[in-house]
Amino acid sequence: MKILNNPLVSMLLAAIVVLTFFYFMNIGIMSIQGLPLNANLTPAQ
Amino acid sequence: MLHKRLNSLQLLPKMRLQKLLNIMLVAVLFLGASSLVSNLFIGDVYADSVAQRIQSVGSILLEGEPQPEPVVVEAVETEPAPAPQGAPKLKREDYPRVGASSRSVVWIAAQMHLFFAAFVLAVPLFVLVIEWIGIKYADDRYDDMAHEFMKITMTAYSITALLGGFLAFSLFLLYPQVMEYMMRVFNLQVLVYAGLFFAESALLYIYYYSWDALRYGNKKWLHLTVGLGLNVAGTTLLVVANAWVTFMMAPSGVDATGAVVGNIWEIIKGPLWNPINLHRFIANIAFGGAIVGAYAGYKFLSAKTVEMRAHYDWMGYTANFIAILAFLPLPFAGYWLMAEIYAYSQQMGITAMGGILAWLFIVQAVLIGTILLAGNYYLWAGMSRTEGSKRYAWMIKYIAMVLVACFLVWVTPHTLILSADEIKQLGGSHHKLLGPLGIMPAKNIAVNLMLIFTFLSFQLYRRADKIATVPYANFLNALMVVIYVVAIANVIFAGVYYGYFTNTVYKVGSSVMQVATTLVVIASGIIIDTFLFKKADMIPAVWGRVSNRSQYALFALPIAFTWLMALMGYVRSSVRTHWHVYTVMKDNSPDNFVPSIGYAGNMMTIVTILFLGMVLFIFWIASLSETKQSKPLAQQELEA
């Protein structure tokens, strides 16, 4: 847990977690609506 | 005793309001989820019955199996069923004439009744939660505040009933055939409504007048149960009445002539019922919070002692907290309602947002912008209650800049009403900025950013009097910062890329992405702060140490909310255009047209002023009960 006190590590770890979450959230939400996205988030249709 | 209790308000911990926040969020999510579940499992009212859908269409015989003998069913002579009676087809002379516009009379009566009904249904909802917090923490201050909120509601309740009677009489007098048809369709359901009204009245009076008699121990739980019953009755009353409104907009359970062909549940559960239920439920809470906030502001400004200022400052803060918290998910509920209106009838959707009523959405943007700016201003002003807020003061100017910029984008119209000379000066009917900024992608970005930044103000306010002590505080803070940054980027990316550079289907779909992003910020903000401020060090917050100016924000909120309700209520009702019941029962009265924006604006303003005038009367009545005349000097001397 001590490593999390380092601001740089905290920021990097948080960025990885949040970016991953939003990336898959975007793909998931559009897929549910029948609007698939490519890996680069462009429309697949 | 009151003096002692109020003195302790100086150091009132705000942590407990976290519970209120969580409970309200759960309530909103629960209502949304239950609407979703009912849509998924109860299904479409037009769907065939289960028996029809699963009945066999043929049979298979095994080898050697004899052919079954055909069953001969003897025909039974029955009397032909009476033809179902459709909606009446009215002529101009069928409408009674009373020398005034029937629509205007009903408009004022209905809107006034709805204002008061929204208020009296909403206040007991959050009063119950506040009372429960008082029990959980054995803190009488919450109980006193909840009781005071109810005191305001009691006068309003009588006025609601009076206005309800006025509305019913107006409708039966001015639109008798319409009401006859509605009674025929809803039949006994209207008696259920009447029964619920009796139940609600009884429970309301018991709840209020037994407050001190059932104050402690097990009796308090009994009191809380009465409050729960009151809210169940009130909310059921709301959804029952909503069915009448949504039937008139999107009739179900009737055929094309208006004849009843379905059961009462099929009539009630039209396609717009759940969206309206959710939207009104949330909006009522925001509205109720705003009205009691104005009461607190009124009492704060007229307070004679420091203790009273502290008490009403805290009350105003709580009311504003409730109003803004309920307001945050409201645009999404409104979005769902409009999406369902479009899905039901594209023509109806276009009438609302692309036709004659479209300009009213610009007025809506002005009013919502006023609410958000006033709500934010109150939070910033309230930060002066604690020294800890200095850590975050530098951010306020940037939040204000974003809010103003987004507000300007939101109020940008797509088309302008121009004279020929103005078009000539402009070089065309479209200004170069109106094209990109006047359409939904730009407005979706603006709305979502305003909500995210309002939540940021809210979060900073709540953090102002706390210092985190948990070992993982750095990480949680970093996580929150990154969530804000990525969420803002995601909202802008979704709006710009899918809104301007892909096809319409992706453009519409990306708005859900933006909504989800905003909700993630709000939900994660609540969760992260709950963990971050466990066993936090508290910096004293001095209640009452807030500028008088901030209290005017508490007055701005109910004014804007009331106007907004009048405006959007008119839009919702007017999308039916020349129909009493859309596509089923035509309006042939002299008022069967959508009035001009100016006329509608005047009507909305009249009802808003009338309502606010009556609210001031309620505040005065509530204060009057606290006033006691001192005995005349001559009588005192005589007694001595």
Side-chain angles (χ1 to χ4, degrees):
Chain A
M1 290 295 279
K2 271 189 177 176
I3 198 164
L4 289 179
N5 284 332
N6 183 321
L8 186 65
V9 174
S10 288
M11 223 31 139
L12 274 175
L13 188 63
I16 292 166
V17 171
V18 174
L19 282 168
T20 309
F21 175 82
F22 275 104
Y23 176 78
F24 285 107
M25 186 192 82
N26 286 351
I27 289 176
I29 284 174
M30 295 301 268
S31 296
I32 289 169
Q33 299 177 85
L35 302 166
L37 295 177
N38 295 317
N40 62 359
L41 296 180
T42 56
Q45 285 179 353
Chain B
M1 189 171 163
L2 177 68
H3 182 268
K4 278 181 188 171
R5 277 216 299 269
L6 290 171
N7 266 346
S8 56
L9 269 173
Q10 309 292 323
L11 299 172
L12 185 77
K14 287 185 284 176
M15 283 294 281
R16 288 166 195 177
L17 286 171
Q18 174 76 37
K19 304 286 176 190
L20 177 61
L21 187 145
N22 290 345
I23 290 165
M24 290 180 74
L25 190 72
V26 168
V28 168
L29 292 176
F30 172 75
L31 204 71
S34 60
S35 300
L36 187 66
V37 168
S38 69
N39 273 331
L40 288 175
F41 295 104
I42 295 169
D44 189 348
V45 294
Y46 300 107
D48 295 330
S49 68
V50 174
Q52 279 174 312
R53 279 190 276 116
I54 64 171
Q55 69 182 349
S56 59
V57 291
S59 58
I60 298 168
L61 290 180
L62 297 175
E63 199 174 324
E65 190 179 344
Q67 283 281 349
E69 288 184 14
V71 179
V72 180
V73 179
E74 287 183 19
V76 179
E77 280 189 20
T78 54
E79 285 184 21
Q85 196 182 349
K89 294 185 189 325
L90 302 180
K91 299 187 192 73
R92 179 66 53 100
E93 56 269 23
D94 292 329
Y95 294 86
R97 292 182 186 185
V98 291
S101 164
S102 299
R103 175 173 61 187
S104 301
V105 173
V106 170
W107 190 337
I108 291 172
Q111 194 61 71
M112 293 298 289
H113 176 60
L114 275 169
F115 283 147
F116 278 99
F119 177 63
V120 298
L121 290 179
V123 174
L125 283 166
F126 54 79
V127 159
L128 186 71
V129 177
I130 295 170
E131 191 188 4
W132 176 77
I133 293 172
I135 296 172
K136 188 167 166 56
Y137 295 99
D139 192 336
D140 278 349
R141 289 167 299 187
Y142 287 95
D143 209 63
D144 290 338
M145 182 169 64
H147 196 192
E148 196 165 354
F149 280 152
M150 282 306 294
K151 187 170 73 179
I152 313 163
T153 313
M154 293 309 288
T155 315
Y157 191 76
S158 312
I159 296 175
T160 312
L162 290 171
L163 288 166
F166 177 45
L167 172 62
F169 287 134
S170 305
L171 284 169
F172 280 105
L173 172 71
L174 301 170
Y175 296 94
Q177 289 91 345
V178 180
M179 292 309 287
E180 182 271 326
Y181 174 64
M182 291 294 283
M183 292 297 114
R184 181 146 51 83
V185 170
F186 282 92
N187 213 297
L188 290 176
Q189 191 247 27
V190 293
L191 292 182
V192 173
Y193 179 86
L196 281 166
F197 184 72
F198 277 111
E200 206 212 356
S201 303
L203 289 165
L204 181 76
Y205 286 113
I206 295 169
Y207 186 60
Y208 179 71
Y209 287 108
S210 66
W211 202 286
D212 289 326
L214 305 174
R215 183 131 190 169
Y216 301 105
N218 285 337
K219 285 185 175 176
K220 191 63 179 169
W221 287 103
L222 179 63
H223 189 257
L224 213 60
T225 309
V226 173
L228 186 65
L230 164 65
N231 282 305
V232 169
T235 307
T236 314
L237 205 65
L238 170 78
V239 299
V240 166
N242 286 348
W244 308 334
V245 169
T246 53
F247 175 81
M248 291 176 80
M249 291 175 74
S252 56
V254 292
D255 65 15
T257 66
V260 176
V261 292
N263 60 35
I264 188 65
W265 176 239
E266 288 167 337
I267 292 165
I268 290 173
K269 205 205 157 295
L272 304 182
W273 189 53
N274 274 330
I276 284 269
N277 286 341
L278 181 65
H279 192 270
R280 279 192 167 171
F281 180 78
I282 302 172
N284 286 357
I285 294 174
F287 181 65
I291 300 288
V292 293
Y295 171 78
Y298 166 80
K299 297 291 282 185
F300 178 90
L301 291 174
S302 57
K304 299 279 192 298
T305 62
V306 174
E307 290 77 21
M308 295 309 280
R309 274 173 73 92
H311 175 69
Y312 287 110
D313 183 22
W314 178 51
M315 198 174 182
Y317 160 75
T318 309
N320 182 63
F321 177 94
I322 293 163
I324 296 297
L325 188 70
F327 184 72
L328 287 177
L330 197 55
F332 308 133
Y335 188 90
W336 182 34
L337 174 60
M338 275 317 297
E340 290 296 328
I341 288 176
Y342 264 100
Y344 171 73
S345 163
Q346 204 167 25
Q347 179 58 56
M348 196 184 254
I350 290 167
T351 302
M353 296 197 74
I356 189 168
L357 302 169
W359 249 87
L360 297 177
F361 282 80
I362 298 297
V363 183
Q364 180 205 27
V366 174
L367 290 169
I368 295 179
T370 306
I371 289 170
L372 289 175
L373 288 170
N376 274 278
Y377 176 74
Y378 181 77
L379 289 171
W380 302 332
M383 284 168 81
S384 63
R385 292 181 189 117
T386 172
E387 293 298 314
S389 64
K390 286 178 180 166
R391 292 172 292 168
Y392 305 118
W394 64 273
M395 293 174 75
I396 290 174
K397 55 181 174 290
Y398 298 110
I399 298 174
M401 281 163 63
V402 172
L403 288 175
V404 171
C406 291
F407 176 64
L408 291 175
V409 170
W410 200 358
V411 299
T412 304
H414 190 223
T415 52
L416 290 173
I417 302 165
L418 298 167
S419 66
D421 191 42
E422 286 166 336
I423 292 174
K424 196 176 161 189
Q425 284 180 29
L426 202 65
S429 60
H430 281 71
H431 187 271
K432 61 183 176 184
L433 283 177
L434 302 188
L437 294 184
I439 56 174
M440 281 312 288
K443 297 185 191 306
N444 280 341
I445 295 172
V447 173
N448 281 285
L449 289 186
M450 283 183 96
L451 294 176
I452 288 173
F453 277 84
T454 299
F455 184 74
L456 176 61
S457 290
F458 194 66
Q459 202 176 17
L460 294 181
Y461 176 84
R462 294 194 58 256
R463 284 178 169 220
D465 64 345
K466 299 179 192 76
I467 298 171
T469 56
V470 290
Y472 42 84
N474 273 351
F475 175 69
L476 288 182
N477 269 325
L479 192 63
M480 199 64 243
V481 170
V482 175
I483 286 172
Y484 271 109
V485 172
V486 176
I488 291 164
N490 202 41
V491 165
I492 296 171
F493 160 75
V496 173
Y497 176 63
Y498 299 109
Y500 295 101
F501 300 102
T502 62
N503 61 47
T504 309
V505 187
Y506 274 85
K507 179 168 84 177
V508 175
S510 68
S511 60
V512 182
M513 194 192 279
Q514 292 174 309
V515 169
T517 304
T518 305
L519 290 176
V520 165
V521 173
I522 294 171
S524 58
I526 293 168
I527 294 165
I528 286 174
D529 279 10
T530 305
F531 286 104
L532 186 62
F533 295 113
K534 267 187 181 170
K535 296 176 186 170
D537 290 339
M538 301 299 292
I539 303 168
V542 184
W543 291 98
R545 198 173 76 182
V546 67
S547 65
N548 284 353
R549 205 166 51 237
S550 67
Q551 302 303 303
Y552 294 101
L554 290 180
F555 293 129
L557 282 176
I559 293 169
F561 265 119
T562 310
W563 228 322
L564 189 60
M565 277 176 72
L567 176 81
M568 298 319 287
Y570 163 70
V571 171
R572 185 204 52 70
S573 185
S574 288
V575 291
R576 290 176 293 124
T577 59
H578 58 291
W579 297 91
H580 289 305
V581 180
Y582 196 63
T583 70
V584 163
M585 186 178 184
K586 212 168 232 179
D587 180 356
N588 274 322
S589 70
D591 297 313
N592 66 345
F593 61 93
V594 178
S596 66
I597 292 174
Y599 178 84
N602 285 339
M603 290 298 289
M604 292 164 211
T605 308
I606 288 169
V607 289
T608 302
I609 291 171
L610 272 176
F611 174 72
L612 293 172
M614 290 172 91
V615 164
L616 285 177
F617 170 73
I618 288 169
F619 291 174
W620 175 70
I621 289 284
S623 301
L624 200 61
S625 66
E626 295 164 5
T627 313
K628 194 175 178 182
Q629 188 188 5
S630 55
K631 205 176 265 185
L633 206 61
Q635 200 174 336
Q636 283 182 33
E637 284 169 0
L638 201 68
E639 283 173 6

